[in-house]
Amino acid sequence: MSSTEQFPPSWGRYPKVKARLVVPVFWRDDVPKLAAYEQSVLPYAYGRSYGDSCLNEDGIALDVSHLTRFISFDEQKGLLRCEAGVSLSDILELIVPRSWFLPVTPGTQYISVGGAIANDVHGKNHHKTGTFGRHVTCFELLRSTGERLLCSSTENEQLFRATIGGLGLTGVILWAEIQLKPIVSPLIAMERIRYGSLAEFVTLSNESDQDFEYTVAWVDCLARGKELGRGLFMRGNHDTATYDAKRPAKKLPLIVPFDMPSFVLNTLSMKAFNEMCYHAQRPQHISKTVPYAPFFYPLDAIQHWNRMYGKRGFLQYQCVVPPTDGSAVMRDLLHCISRSGEGSFLTVLKKFGDLPSPGMLSFPRPGLTLALDFPYNGQKTLHLFDTLDTIVRQSGGCIYPAKDAHMSAESFQAYYPQWEAFTHYIDPKFSSSFWRRVTYPLSQPAIPVNG
Ligand SMILES: Cc1cc2nc3c(=O)[nH]c(=O)nc-3n(C[C@H](O)[C@H](O)[C@H](O)COP(=O)(O)OP(=O)(O)OC[C@H]3O[C@@H](n4cnc5c(N)ncnc54)[C@H](O)[C@@H]3O)c2cc1C
């Protein structure tokens, strides 16, 4: 490991911080005594969070990715109980052949159940089913005192709500139980529609909400003028035709073998890529039936795609802005981005629904959500993020901690005014680089970096 690498890594590989020690946990009944560590502790699973919410500079990274045992599966009711390090990919392998599916899934299957709860993740069906946490029936939480608490909506209810979306700060989730969703087929009946402007996106989204479980759009973030916000709108449902159970051959993923040099990623290459994607689809409207993996996880087909952004790493920006004036605010954000030339290969736009998120600090709320990556170009990138933050704050929107490596303490506390109430449920031994960044500067000036 070079002195400029992260350890353990987050997906964006920025900021470059290192834990003092990585402590693996192999058995849920044999977790090291957390109170005995001098430094603060933070659970770490697959590091698929982009910024520093899964990092604990100079502290203990408690590697929970070895807790991968299934505990029980009620095939009649679709109730699955497993250890918190089990990945969504392993769950899908078990449940899809038995006609069940994840109630909510993010854009990668390589995350753990614990990570899905700690960030209360959302997916393309947010408008229909809300966040992952809504489908968690209970879990066991280990506190640094050694106490093990069963948490559900009726038992230790406040700790249950604090842990969902609680950024790993309330203790270690040892196992969890999830209510799955029945399906008839592993295929998705999908449509892809090329649209020409932000207004067209809003119309398509509104039209599709009722009849389609999954909706999302890819946006050409460098388009300007009348074409601002243009892109490809995807919508789909689980196929209802009975499936003949031939197993599709597993395709080997492509691999980005090394860090791309930074000159590969410039405004011209990004613009060319975005133009090409937009025009690649010749018919304006395509309908087809596809396996679930390429529909939900197109990026998982390229292993280590984060290396495309080079050694300096990259940042993701994901915000949600309220539905009133949502289009106008989104127009301002896209304007800013397209003027900056700091483009992104993958820009995603989606309308969140109004089902309440169960977590105290959950990110999703009604409105339009935009997510995009930026290669880290020093002050230029950070300055752009400051400008975007000002627009989001003025609109009453907020930023997603799981994707963040930049927001100020002032911004976080404005986005999440409930953060102070949440602090009552934090385990005193737990901390993260993210949490220190967004709270200590305002609340406790004298606390050292290693918590
Ligand atoms: C390609 C890609 C697409 C994505 N798409 C989406 C998306 O569509 N929607 C979305 O919401 N997110 C999305 N994400 C973000 C990702 O889903 C979250 O960051 C997720 O939490 C990562 O889980 P992980 O298992 O890798 O956990 P880590 O990143 O290692 O940790 C995440 C948080 O969970 C805590 N944690 C982990 N395990 C435990 C445990 N056992 N007990 C207590 N706390 C724990 C950690 O302390 C940390 O705070 C995407 C990420 C990638 C790379």
Side-chain angles (χ1 to χ4, degrees):
M1 183 188 43
S2 90
S3 60
T4 52
E5 278 173 29
Q6 281 181 330
F7 183 67
S10 70
W11 194 244
R13 302 156 84 198
Y14 173 88
K16 306 282 186 206
V17 303
K18 290 189 179 67
R20 181 76 61 88
L21 199 64
V22 176
V23 176
V25 178
F26 294 105
W27 303 98
R28 61 180 191 276
D29 290 329
D30 188 20
V31 179
K33 282 200 169 38
L34 303 180
Y37 292 111
E38 199 184 309
Q39 295 87 4
S40 64
V41 171
L42 186 73
Y44 176 91
Y46 295 115
R48 249 53 180 200
S49 301
Y50 283 71
D52 55 0
S53 66
C54 63
L55 303 179
N56 191 15
E57 183 171 15
D58 264 343
I60 307 293
L62 197 68
D63 177 1
V64 289
S65 66
H66 307 279
L67 294 176
T68 53
R69 294 164 199 94
F70 287 100
I71 298 170
S72 64
F73 180 29
D74 182 333
E75 271 197 58
Q76 299 305 314
K77 296 187 181 144
L79 265 183
L80 176 77
R81 195 176 277 208
C82 63
E83 289 184 340
V86 171
S87 69
L88 300 191
S89 135
D90 286 344
I91 295 181
L92 287 166
E93 208 158 288
L94 174 81
I95 65 174
V96 170
R98 293 169 173 81
S99 300
W100 292 97
F101 204 75
L102 291 164
V104 167
T105 178
T108 173
Q109 54 185 316
Y110 301 125
I111 72 159
S112 66
V113 166
I117 296 174
N119 277 320
D120 196 13
V121 299
H122 57 271
K124 296 178 177 61
N125 59 352
H126 183 273
H127 61 289
K128 288 277 191 200
T129 35
T131 63
F132 191 85
R134 289 177 63 93
H135 309 276
V136 174
T137 50
C138 60
F139 52 75
E140 188 179 37
L141 190 71
L142 173 72
R143 303 277 285 183
S144 62
T145 51
E147 201 178 2
R148 286 161 188 259
L149 299 163
L150 183 70
C151 301
S152 70
S153 58
T154 51
E155 215 165 324
N156 296 304
E157 188 242 340
Q158 290 303 309
L159 205 46
F160 182 66
R161 286 195 343 98
T163 301
I164 296 176
L167 304 168
L169 297 167
T170 60
V172 187
I173 303 163
L174 294 172
W175 58 262
E177 187 178 81
I178 310 157
Q179 176 63 62
L180 305 172
K181 159 193 174 57
I183 51 169
V184 176
S185 151
L187 302 179
I188 301 288
M190 69 159 293
E191 297 177 20
R192 197 167 55 221
I193 304 161
R194 185 154 41 82
Y195 67 89
S197 66
L198 192 57
E200 281 183 38
F201 163 82
V202 173
T203 309
L204 270 170
S205 209
N206 291 342
E207 275 173 16
S208 310
D209 268 5
Q210 184 63 32
D211 295 337
F212 291 88
E213 170 149 15
Y214 302 105
T215 64
V216 75
W218 167 83
V219 175
D220 171 0
C221 68
L222 293 175
R224 295 184 179 197
K226 282 201 306 247
E227 294 178 329
L228 190 86
R230 72 177 185 181
L232 300 171
F233 190 86
M234 266 83 72
R235 56 190 189 189
N237 286 314
H238 291 278
D239 198 26
T240 46
T242 319
Y243 181 68
D244 114 43
K246 253 186 283 148
R247 270 186 156 223
K250 262 202 171 175
K251 275 200 198 146
L252 288 177
L254 302 170
I255 298 179
V256 177
F258 50 79
D259 292 311
M260 292 277 198
S262 51
F263 65 80
V264 175
L265 298 165
N266 54 39
T267 310
L268 276 180
S269 63
M270 297 273 190
K271 199 161 172 41
F273 177 85
N274 275 276
E275 282 275 344
M276 189 191 74
C277 286
Y278 182 70
H279 291 292
Q281 173 167 320
R282 301 296 285 280
Q284 200 239 343
H285 194 138
I286 288 178
S287 303
K288 55 183 175 177
T289 305
V290 295
Y292 71 84
F295 179 77
F296 289 108
Y297 315 115
L299 285 171
D300 286 351
I302 311 170
Q303 252 185 43
H304 302 302
W305 63 260
N306 52 348
R307 290 180 182 161
M308 283 200 316
Y309 288 99
K311 279 206 168 97
R312 294 183 82 187
F314 70 105
L315 289 88
Q316 177 152 115
Y317 195 83
Q318 181 166 5
C319 62
V320 55
V321 298
T324 5
D325 298 334
S327 305
V329 179
M330 209 40 83
R331 195 166 299 125
D332 288 348
L333 291 168
L334 287 168
H335 242 120
C336 247
I337 293 161
S338 122
R339 262 203 321 263
S340 76
E342 295 276 292
S344 168
F345 288 117
L346 189 74
T347 302
V348 171
L349 186 57
K350 152 132 197 95
K351 192 172 131 203
F352 278 155
D354 50 16
L355 288 169
S357 301
M360 272 179 207
L361 283 190
S362 295
F363 158 73
R365 59 205 67 190
L368 294 181
T369 182
L370 176 75
L372 66 174
D373 302 333
F374 295 92
Y376 176 57
N377 288 324
Q379 282 308 314
K380 203 171 156 208
T381 313
L382 301 180
H383 181 67
L384 171 65
F385 276 38
D386 283 338
T387 315
L388 300 178
D389 266 6
T390 307
I391 300 173
V392 173
R393 261 178 84 166
Q394 280 169 357
S395 77
C398 85
I399 304 290
Y400 190 10
K403 308 276 183 86
D404 180 69
H406 161 269
M407 76 172 118
S408 66
E410 285 88 345
S411 288
F412 174 76
Q413 296 180 21
Y415 297 142
Y416 296 91
Q418 67 279 31
W419 75 276
E420 276 180 300
F422 168 77
T423 56
H424 298 300
Y425 302 95
I426 294 182
D427 186 304
K429 197 67 207 164
F430 281 48
S431 182
S432 69
S433 293
F434 172 85
W435 193 249
R436 292 188 287 275
R437 173 163 64 82
V438 299
T439 61
Y440 286 171
L442 295 188
S443 62
Q444 302 171 40
I447 299 255
V449 146
N450 72 359

